[in-house]
Amino acid sequence: MGEPLLNAYDTRSTTTPPNHAPPNHAPPIGTPPASNGLAAAAVVVGTAGLLTSVAFVGGPLGVIGLVLGTAALLKARRTGTGRGAAATAVVTSSLAIVVSGLVAVLFVWYANRTQACYQPDSLHQYTECVRQHLSRN
C-alpha cells in the first residue's frame, strides 16, 4: 500500500498531536494562574493590623498576620507562587506589632506622668494639669 499510518504517539512524528501541550511550556491560554490564597489573606490581615495599630487592635491582628505570612512564605517556597505577597504580609504585620507596642508604651508613659490630673473639676483644669506635668522634667 504505500505510506504507513502514524498514530498520535509515534515518536517518528514531527508534529505535536492536537490538544497536547509540549512539555515544559506555559499552560494553555485561558488557564488561571496559580495563586497563594494564604498570602492574600495574610496581606489583608497584616494591612488591617497596621491601619488599626494605633487603637491597640493592630497588635493581635499583626500576630495573626505574621503567622499567616510565615506560613504563606513556606507555601511559596514549595509552590513558587505568592512570595511577594507573603513577604509584604510579614513586613506589614511586623510593623503593626511594633507600632502597637510603641503606642502602648506611650500610653503608659502618658498615664504615669499625668495620673495626678485624673480628678479634675473641668476640662480646662485637666488640660492645665496635664500641661504642667508634661512640661516639667
Side-chain angles (χ1 to χ4, degrees):
M1 290 218 197
E3 298 179 30
L5 294 174
L6 299 176
N7 65 25
Y9 299 103
D10 190 350
T11 56
R12 295 178 293 167
S13 174
T14 59
T15 62
T16 304
N19 297 328
H20 184 269
N24 298 328
H25 284 74
I29 296 174
T31 303
S35 65
N36 188 339
L38 193 57
V43 167
V44 169
V45 173
T47 303
L50 185 58
L51 293 175
T52 60
S53 60
V54 176
F56 300 112
V57 178
L61 286 177
V63 171
I64 293 168
L66 190 60
V67 170
L68 289 175
T70 303
L73 275 175
L74 293 174
K75 183 177 179 183
R77 187 180 299 168
R78 278 192 330 265
T79 64
T81 60
R83 181 167 170 74
T88 301
V90 168
V91 169
T92 56
S93 297
S94 299
L95 285 173
I97 293 168
V98 169
V99 170
S100 286
L102 290 175
V103 167
V105 168
L106 183 63
F107 182 76
V108 169
W109 173 84
Y110 177 81
N112 187 38
R113 291 290 300 253
T114 61
Q115 67 186 7
C117 302
Y118 293 147
Q119 299 296 327
D121 294 332
S122 70
L123 182 60
H124 178 69
Q125 287 178 344
Y126 174 75
T127 56
E128 286 300 316
C129 182
V130 168
R131 191 171 293 137
Q132 289 173 358
H133 280 84
L134 292 180
S135 65
R136 67 180 162 129
N137 291 325

